[in-house]
């Protein structure tokens, strides 16, 4: 049995069992955990299909979207209530618009390489992707990181100020 | 591995998701069932793209992933709003 076959057998069996548990278990916490495990095993299967970009997206979504949603739905929330203050949705829109403007300006200035090949038959242009993050796209990447860090710090500060007992 | 093996895994995922959606009574259980079916569709697109040696399958899979994320966020928000005491 080759390494590819072993990885497929392991990830496929984990994914199948996890899917059955996620669909059949009555406890929503166990069911959600099984769903997250299934999605992670699917990321491994995508990597076996020569789709590393899809595997990375699936992995990031399982870790940063599915798991927080499971925790949000299954873990009891603290008894705090947010009243008044600026709209969080409006702040999110502003942050998203700022990041989109940064990305568009970076594309217009030629900072982001648009000719990166992701066709598997051509081989992945890893050096171009690396340049996109560390070389030519360093301005866009650094500015986005600074903007996200500032937004996170402001959100944490606003959240501390606005928590009042119900 | 052959494309058929990946499609078999996708079939298992879709069947489990469909049964979970149809048989579970809770909203969270049905949401998880739909997520499983979307994951099966994503795996099917990716496997078909690899089988035909085309990038279109991966692009379609990314679109399905984006739709799944939107569905999960909206569904969890609906469930949270239903659970919130009035």
């Amino acid at each position: 049995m080759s390494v590819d076959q072993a990885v497929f057998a392991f990830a496929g069996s984990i994914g199948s069992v996890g899917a059955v548990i996620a669909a059949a278990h009555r406890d929503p916490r166990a069911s959600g955990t099984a769903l997250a495990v299934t999605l992670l095993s699917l990321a491994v299967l995508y990597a076996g299909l020569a789709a590393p970009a899809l595997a990375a997206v699936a992995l990031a979504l399982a870790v940063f979207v599915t798991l927080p949603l499971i925790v949000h739905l299954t873990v009891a929330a603290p008894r705090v209530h947010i009243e008044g203050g600026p709209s969080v949705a409006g702040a999110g829109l502003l942050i998203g618009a700022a990041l989109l403007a940064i990305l568009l300006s970076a594309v217009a200035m030629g900072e982001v390489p648009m000719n990166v090949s992701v066709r598997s038959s051509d081989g992945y242009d890893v050096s171009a992707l690396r340049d996109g993050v560390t070389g030519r796209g360093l301005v866009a990447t650094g500015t986005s990181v600074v903007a996200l860090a500032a937004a996170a710090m402001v959100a944490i500060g606003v959240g501390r100020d606005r928590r009042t007992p119900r | 591995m052959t494309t058929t093996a990946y499609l078999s895994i996708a079939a298992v995922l879709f069947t489990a998701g469909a049964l979970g959606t149809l048989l579970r009574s809770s909203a969270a259980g049905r949401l998880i069932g739909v997520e499983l079916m979307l994951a099966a569709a994503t795996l099917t697109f990716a496997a078909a793209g690899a089988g035909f040696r085309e990038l279109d399958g991966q692009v379609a899979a990314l679109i399905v992933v984006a739709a799944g994320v939107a569905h999960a966020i909206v569904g969890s928000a609906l469930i949270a709003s239903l659970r919130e005491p009035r």
Side-chain angles (χ1 to χ4, degrees):
Chain A
M1 177 181 280
S2 65
V3 176
D4 289 344
Q5 290 175 334
V7 169
F8 173 80
F10 180 74
S13 57
I14 292 290
S16 301
V17 173
V20 172
I21 292 175
H25 210 285
R26 288 188 174 276
D27 184 14
R29 197 170 300 177
S31 187
T33 306
L35 174 66
V37 171
T38 302
L39 294 179
L40 290 176
S41 68
L42 281 181
V44 177
L45 290 178
Y46 295 147
L49 282 169
L54 189 58
V57 169
L59 184 64
L61 292 180
V63 172
F64 294 113
V65 176
T66 306
L67 280 177
L69 287 180
I70 291 168
V71 172
H72 174 66
L73 287 179
T74 58
V75 177
R79 298 180 66 82
V80 295
H81 186 59
I82 297 175
E83 291 179 348
S87 170
V88 178
L93 284 176
L94 283 177
I95 293 171
L99 292 179
L100 181 61
I102 291 171
L103 176 62
L104 290 178
S105 61
V107 170
M109 292 163 55
E111 295 285 345
V112 179
M114 301 300 290
N115 57 349
V116 177
S117 172
V118 293
R119 189 176 289 274
S120 58
S121 58
D122 298 340
Y124 287 92
D125 195 353
V126 180
S127 60
L129 289 174
R130 185 190 60 212
D131 291 343
V133 177
T134 61
R136 297 165 57 190
L138 184 60
V139 175
T141 306
T143 310
S144 302
V145 169
V146 170
L148 282 177
M153 292 173 62
V154 171
I156 291 172
V158 171
R160 282 179 182 168
D161 293 340
R162 291 169 60 188
R163 279 184 191 162
T164 56
R166 183 177 283 180
Chain B
M1 293 302 298
T2 62
T3 305
T4 309
Y6 288 97
L7 294 180
S8 303
I9 299 290
V12 171
L13 290 179
F14 191 87
T15 305
L19 289 177
T21 305
L22 292 174
L23 300 179
R24 294 284 293 272
S25 58
S26 65
R30 293 188 174 184
L31 179 67
I32 288 175
V34 175
E35 284 296 320
L36 282 175
M37 288 193 286
L38 286 172
T42 308
L43 183 58
T44 302
F45 277 122
F52 289 111
R53 296 188 179 279
E54 291 289 341
L55 194 62
D56 302 347
Q58 293 186 27
V59 174
L62 284 174
I63 293 173
V64 174
V65 166
V69 170
H71 159 263
I73 292 174
V74 172
S76 62
L78 284 174
I79 293 172
S81 65
L82 287 175
R83 285 180 178 176
E84 189 173 332
R86 298 179 187 280

